[in-house]
Amino acid sequence: MNMMTPEMPKTFTPDVENTRNLRDAFGKFATGVTVVTCASDLGPICITANSFSSISLDPALVMWAIDKSSRRYPFFSMADRFAIHILAAEQEELCDACAKDAFTLGKVEHVENEDDVPLISGCLSRFECTRVACHDAGDHVIIVGKVTRAEVRDGDALAFYAGKFGQFAQ
């Protein structure tokens, strides 16, 4: 039995039999938390994601990844336009709601931009995007967006580490 201590890490070869070990290892990377939104024929759709990353300043490009087996995948894989919202520390409840229900925005105050993309207020930053590429990546798809409009404010960020929420303070 390989017990984990600071002096003796757990070593394993990732495979389908030990996905929990791999999830735990991935969880050691502290991230901010985002909610990605898009319009659909069924109403506004949202999903939480910590796979967000900036890619390029010129042109302004960002990326995030979605699990192909997610029930939300069809909406986001077809969306030409979407918004990524970087959540503030006080938005944990919104994060939880969006993680549990793709249609949360139907019950939460939001506005829609001229492309009908749902926009959430109170975020630390928001990126309104046009999809420019999708890349197959195992059980996920990486979606690349060109930022067409951005918004930013001061505040503390909602953080996620080892399966728990916290915050990054300024």
Side-chain angles (χ1 to χ4, degrees):
M1 184 161 150
N2 188 358
M3 296 297 290
M4 204 170 30
T5 68
E7 300 79 32
M8 175 149 337
K10 178 188 282 185
T11 302
F12 63 95
T13 301
D15 62 32
V16 296
E17 299 302 317
N18 63 14
T19 57
R20 179 76 259 164
N21 290 337
L22 187 57
R23 288 179 70 93
D24 290 346
F26 286 157
K28 297 300 182 188
F29 182 65
T31 67
V33 182
T34 69
V35 168
V36 185
T37 60
C38 71
S40 81
D41 292 341
L42 301 176
I45 304 292
C46 61
I47 190 170
T48 59
N50 66 349
S51 59
F52 167 80
S53 183
S54 58
I55 298 175
S56 170
L57 295 173
D58 185 21
L61 298 175
V62 295
M63 57 134 296
W64 70 286
I66 185 169
D67 189 327
K68 293 175 193 173
S69 67
S70 168
R71 290 175 297 187
R72 302 167 207 212
Y73 173 75
F75 299 108
F76 286 101
S77 68
M78 295 185 298
D80 290 327
R81 301 191 189 289
F82 58 91
I84 299 172
H85 307 78
I86 296 180
L87 299 186
E90 62 271 15
Q91 292 180 301
E92 183 178 339
E93 189 175 308
L94 172 66
C95 177
D96 281 336
C98 290
K100 293 174 184 167
D101 182 2
F103 301 100
T104 289
L105 296 182
K107 303 169 226 142
V108 172
E109 186 176 327
H110 68 281
V111 298
E112 294 176 357
N113 68 11
E114 60 275 359
D115 297 312
D116 298 322
V117 175
L119 304 176
I120 303 166
S121 64
C123 301
L124 291 184
S125 57
R126 177 175 62 223
F127 306 97
E128 296 173 51
C129 302
T130 300
R131 185 185 66 213
V132 295
C134 289
H135 301 284
D136 187 61
D139 58 6
H140 280 62
V141 168
I142 297 168
I143 299 174
V144 179
K146 180 177 182 186
V147 179
T148 57
R149 182 177 298 124
E151 179 178 290
V152 64
R153 72 167 180 90
D154 285 335
D156 294 339
L158 184 61
F160 193 71
Y161 174 75
K164 296 185 174 120
F165 289 109
Q167 73 180 54
F168 291 120
Q170 292 188 62

